[in-house]
Amino acid sequence: MEELNVTASAVISFAEKLEDTSSELYEELAERFAAHKETFLAFAKESRKNKVLVTRTYQETITDALEACFSFAGLNLNDYAVQKVSAEGMNCPDALQMAVELEEKASRFYSDVARRSHSLLATIPGAFRRVAEVRNKRKLELQSLLKQGH
Amino acid sequence: MAILEEPIKETLELRNYINGEWVKSEGSIEEVINPATGKVLGEVPISTKNEINAAVEAAKAAFLDWRRTPPLARVRCLFRLKELMEENFEELSRIQTMEHGKTIDESRGETRRGIENVEVAAGIPSLMMGYNLEDIAAGIDEYLIRQPLGVFGIIGPFNFPFMVPLWFIPYALATGNCTVVKPSSEDPISQIKIAELAEEAGIPPGVYNVVNGGRTVVSGMLDHPDIAGICFVGSTPVGRDVIYRRCGETGKRVIAQCGAKNFLLVMPDADLEGTIATCMTSFFGNTGQRCLSGANLVIVGEGLNEREYNAFYKKVVEAFVDAASRIRVGYGLDEKVQMGPLRDRSKKERVIGFIETGIKEGATLRLDGREVKLVGDWPHTCFLGPTVFEDVTPDMTIAKEEIFGPVASILRAKSLDEAIEVIHNSPFGNAASIFTTNGKWAREFQYRVACGNIGINVGIVAPMAFFPFSGMKNSFFGTLHGQGQEVIRFFTESKVVIQRWF
């Protein structure tokens, strides 16, 4: 079902779930693929920090005077939805590819919500932009691991 | 997307908080009702004159020690209160949604704004400082000190049950005064929760008191000789004709922040996308129940010929109506919802009365909020959708009188001068905004418009806690405003000392 005119609360809740899903995935990957354990654990930790950054920025910035209910006109959260992912039964290249796709979607989500809410939600778009950069950087790192034939 | 969990699960028996004790009132009881669901949240007492007197006596007695407590020690209580508010942020916010009806984003925003006042008041050791000059004459020094006055009465409105009393309470306490708070009996639970946190924060008994009730409690405050001043937020008739007048008669200080009819001007060079989003918050945020809400949208044709102006006017109106028609209305704990219900049925009926008057007086109804479709299956008792009128003229009732609901009136003005004249013909002077990218128009607007809170590309001109919440004409009665440095002056008296040592 399409969701238009999404509220800030809904976007933040979505971001929280996205980071939780990511964190769980990377912890699983860390257990299964020892060669990249440190990288995956760092990503999991980073996702927990992303969640804190976004939710803390929202909670510390939100006021009734901001356009919190009207900053995301036309946004469809389904476009960025990530079902609970698992690498069970996957080999390392396939798992890495899945992770790349997750990072692409996440980076796109954060970039889109930052752009839509720019100048309407004070410092909150800045937090979205920071996490978009983090997720994009991860995507590049994962792609590099894939190219190296892991 | 499910409804967020409700923190209030059973009917609360609300008590007064007097002298550090939770006291069962001897007064009659009224129900506190969730306007979205119709469920009873609590029972609030309508306290008696004895009870308000008891609270004032307790506050007066507590003042003796509290006034002698060093400012730094006083603000440490506020630091603890702030931490407790942060820890309970989400619960406090959801309670506001349940008892008032506003969306969860709006409630969280209100919680944040309330906490900001506690934070600013914690700067009292610096903010309360006086000043001095040595040798005003040889060997004689002069200095000014600021001293607290005693007990203040705070009368809260229904529309911001958590935040508005915090425009005053933290500053009153930080400067060494004691307070007696009367929450709105429509949604008192937020103030009861704050009192619980204040108790936990270690604010001494008697320094901070809460007495629930209605007119009897207000009259008791106004008549009590030991109340030094009153802070009130509410309607103009009550603020001007009851509160301000009686304070004048009894020599009390007063802040009375009252009604409004706010104008938002859209100039030909406005950024339309940003303007429309901002207007949605302004006109329909908090379901229009806000003294800073937009009421009249004036589309200004400065520098345009007739054909150009008609095209511009149509573009703005269609964008406005389209955006308003998409607003999702429902229970504020549903994260999909952008606008909640009105606070109660009588307010809804009052707003419907204005809609009917608008139609009768010849305005064109472009969007009819009476035909609202809700998100979720809720009783329609208090719900009304966004309503938009165009072809409104300044002499119409809906353009002149405060509606306090989700009704937008669209007017025309050929020039900025004409628009400013329309604003000045209003008896209110709370807020006004201009949407433009032209600095000259913006400066002209800021310079000339006689309203206390001016927005330039801002639809809700809500001052931060370190600025005063201004207001003029029939929107404000008093001299000093709430929040910021002005409210510190309100809660203190200046004492001048001249000293010489022989």
Side-chain angles (χ1 to χ4, degrees):
Chain A
M1 191 174 95
E2 276 202 1
E3 284 194 38
L4 303 177
N5 292 350
V6 175
T7 65
S9 182
V11 167
I12 299 301
S13 291
F14 186 90
E16 286 177 314
K17 286 195 190 80
L18 179 60
E19 297 303 333
D20 282 342
T21 299
S22 304
S23 179
E24 283 163 17
L25 171 67
Y26 286 119
E27 279 165 356
E28 185 194 342
L29 293 182
E31 271 185 36
R32 293 201 50 219
F33 303 110
H36 307 300
K37 184 176 179 177
E38 293 310 314
T39 299
F40 291 144
L41 283 179
F43 285 178
K45 185 177 173 184
E46 200 173 55
S47 273
R48 289 190 289 275
K49 283 169 73 170
N50 290 343
K51 179 178 169 181
V52 169
L53 171 66
V54 168
T55 53
R56 180 187 288 160
T57 304
Y58 166 76
Q59 192 164 299
E60 290 181 354
T61 304
I62 189 73
T63 80
D64 62 293
L66 291 182
E67 279 67 50
C69 294
F70 302 102
S71 292
F72 302 102
L75 180 76
N76 188 347
L77 287 175
N78 290 332
D79 290 346
Y80 314 97
V82 174
Q83 305 307 319
K84 186 153 172 66
V85 290
S86 170
E88 195 174 328
M90 286 188 185
N91 58 29
C92 190
D94 286 346
L96 283 172
Q97 184 57 43
M98 180 182 66
V100 165
E101 285 162 13
L102 170 65
E103 295 306 328
E104 226 157 46
K105 207 171 241 189
S107 175
R108 191 162 48 87
F109 163 71
Y110 282 113
S111 298
D112 285 351
V113 294
R115 181 178 47 80
R116 284 174 187 273
S117 58
H118 173 67
S119 84
L120 294 174
L121 288 183
T123 54
I124 301 170
F128 292 149
R129 274 193 294 277
R130 275 175 65 181
V131 178
E133 282 165 20
V134 163
R135 304 297 301 240
N136 193 53
K137 210 169 132 194
R138 275 198 219 171
K139 183 187 84 172
L140 296 174
E141 196 172 335
L142 288 164
Q143 283 173 333
S144 167
L145 289 178
L146 257 177
K147 270 200 192 113
Q148 287 165 30
H150 292 273
Chain B
M1 213 177 276
I3 306 288
L4 297 172
E5 188 181 340
E6 294 179 331
I8 301 173
K9 301 195 192 303
E10 289 168 356
T11 304
L12 302 172
E13 183 208 315
L14 302 177
R15 295 188 169 206
N16 294 328
Y17 181 62
I18 299 175
N19 204 24
E21 302 286 335
W22 290 97
V23 181
K24 193 173 159 97
S25 170
E26 60 197 31
S28 60
I29 297 292
E30 286 182 4
E31 289 181 332
V32 179
I33 295 176
N34 182 330
T37 65
K39 291 194 181 145
V40 176
L41 301 173
E43 291 175 342
V44 62
I46 305 302
S47 301
T48 64
K49 190 143 186 193
N50 284 345
E51 289 167 313
I52 180 65
N53 286 344
V56 176
E57 294 307 316
K60 181 183 171 187
F63 175 64
L64 298 172
D65 276 346
W66 186 241
R67 182 259 180 281
R68 289 178 182 275
T69 304
L72 198 52
R74 296 197 293 253
V75 303
R76 287 201 177 111
C77 293
L78 294 186
F79 279 121
R80 287 193 291 273
L81 179 61
K82 179 232 158 39
E83 283 313 306
L84 288 166
M85 287 176 167
E86 297 285 5
E87 279 170 30
N88 291 277
F89 187 96
E90 189 62 16
E91 182 189 347
L92 291 168
S93 303
R94 293 187 192 186
I95 285 171
Q96 289 161 59
T97 292
M98 291 183 77
E99 66 172 347
H100 174 273
K102 58 185 73 188
T103 69
I104 188 60
D105 275 318
E106 289 168 342
S107 292
R108 289 173 183 149
E110 181 174 347
T111 305
R112 175 53 51 204
R113 288 282 190 158
I115 293 174
E116 274 172 10
N117 277 285
V118 179
E119 290 172 329
V120 172
I124 276 300
S126 297
L127 295 172
M128 198 176 162
M129 282 185 185
Y131 49 90
N132 64 77
L133 187 64
E134 285 182 318
D135 290 320
I136 52 143
I140 299 177
D141 306 327
E142 184 164 353
Y143 53 96
L144 179 140
I145 47 182
R146 301 200 198 285
Q147 297 190 325
L149 289 150
V151 182
F152 283 82
I154 316 288
I155 303 167
F158 80 86
N159 60 340
F160 285 90
F162 180 88
M163 174 185 74
V164 165
L166 292 171
W167 287 349
F168 313 107
I169 296 164
Y171 305 96
L173 301 186
T175 49
N177 299 283
C178 297
T179 57
V180 180
V181 180
K182 188 204 88 65
S184 167
S185 56
E186 296 180 39
D187 42 19
I189 301 172
S190 296
Q191 287 301 310
I192 295 296
K193 288 294 170 190
I194 292 176
E196 288 174 2
L197 298 181
E199 184 184 27
E200 196 179 332
I203 292 173
V207 171
Y208 181 98
N209 305 276
V210 178
V211 178
N212 291 287
R215 287 179 190 188
T216 302
V217 173
V218 173
S219 299
M221 284 184 179
L222 291 170
D223 292 340
H224 204 296
D226 292 323
I227 285 201
I230 297 283
C231 302
F232 167 85
V233 176
S235 72
T236 292
V238 174
R240 179 189 56 208
D241 302 330
V242 177
I243 306 292
Y244 185 59
R245 172 179 291 184
R246 190 71 186 130
C247 285
E249 288 167 355
T250 54
K252 291 183 187 354
R253 295 187 173 197
V254 61
I255 292 175
Q257 299 187 202
C258 298
K261 190 71 176 177
N262 302 317
F263 289 77
L264 274 63
L265 272 53
V266 183
M267 304 300 287
D269 65 336
D271 177 320
L272 195 60
E273 195 180 329
T275 297
I276 295 299
T278 304
C279 282
M280 291 302 105
T281 301
S282 183
F283 283 86
F284 304 116
N286 220 44
T287 321
Q289 300 169 113
R290 175 155 52 184
C291 66
L292 291 175
S293 284
N296 291 333
L297 185 77
V298 185
I299 302 176
V300 184
E302 182 78 31
L304 301 180
N305 64 36
E306 192 178 336
R307 187 184 52 79
E308 288 165 340
Y309 178 49
N310 286 336
F312 171 62
Y313 175 86
K314 188 162 189 274
K315 190 173 168 190
V316 176
V317 169
E318 295 312 313
F320 188 96
V321 171
D322 180 63
S325 70
R326 293 171 189 277
I327 291 176
R328 296 169 180 245
V329 182
Y331 185 12
L333 287 186
D334 181 341
E335 289 184 308
K336 291 195 297 294
V337 162
Q338 296 166 291
M339 190 174 95
L342 286 152
R343 223 317 299 167
D344 62 38
R345 174 189 225 134
S346 68
K347 290 173 177 54
K348 173 181 169 176
E349 284 167 5
R350 181 174 176 275
V351 175
I352 288 176
F354 277 107
I355 295 173
E356 290 166 353
T357 300
I359 295 168
K360 209 161 88 179
E361 291 185 357
T364 304
L365 183 61
R366 290 295 312 269
L367 186 65
D368 190 347
R370 297 171 299 182
E371 296 169 2
V372 63
K373 286 189 184 51
L374 299 181
V375 173
D377 185 21
W378 309 108
H380 271 62
T381 315
C382 302
F383 284 103
L384 205 53
T387 295
V388 182
F389 281 100
E390 71 166 312
D391 301 322
V392 178
T393 54
D395 56 312
M396 289 183 181
T397 302
I398 56 172
K400 290 191 301 193
E401 292 185 21
E402 183 175 41
I403 298 174
F404 225 63
V407 179
S409 295
I410 302 179
L411 293 79
R412 292 175 181 255
K414 291 197 190 73
S415 66
L416 181 57
D417 283 344
E418 182 185 329
I420 291 176
E421 193 182 334
V422 170
I423 293 173
H424 285 168
N425 286 336
S426 170
F428 296 105
N430 207 42
S433 297
I434 186 170
F435 290 87
T436 182
T437 53
N438 181 313
K440 185 171 164 61
W441 288 339
R443 203 255 177 189
E444 196 66 10
F445 185 83
Q446 161 198 310
Y447 192 86
R448 286 168 56 191
V449 170
C451 288
N453 304 289
I454 295 291
I456 298 172
N457 297 316
V458 170
I460 293 288
V461 195
M464 297 294 283
F466 28 92
F467 284 92
F469 194 116
S470 191
M472 297 180 185
K473 297 162 72 176
N474 275 359
S475 297
F476 176 77
F477 300 92
T479 307
L480 296 165
H481 300 87
Q483 296 188 158
Q485 301 209 14
E486 288 199 18
V487 85
I488 292 166
R489 293 294 308 278
F490 179 79
F491 287 123
T492 57
E493 183 60 273
S494 300
K495 180 178 282 182
V496 172
V497 179
I498 304 176
Q499 68 173 12
R500 173 175 58 192
W501 301 98
F502 292 111

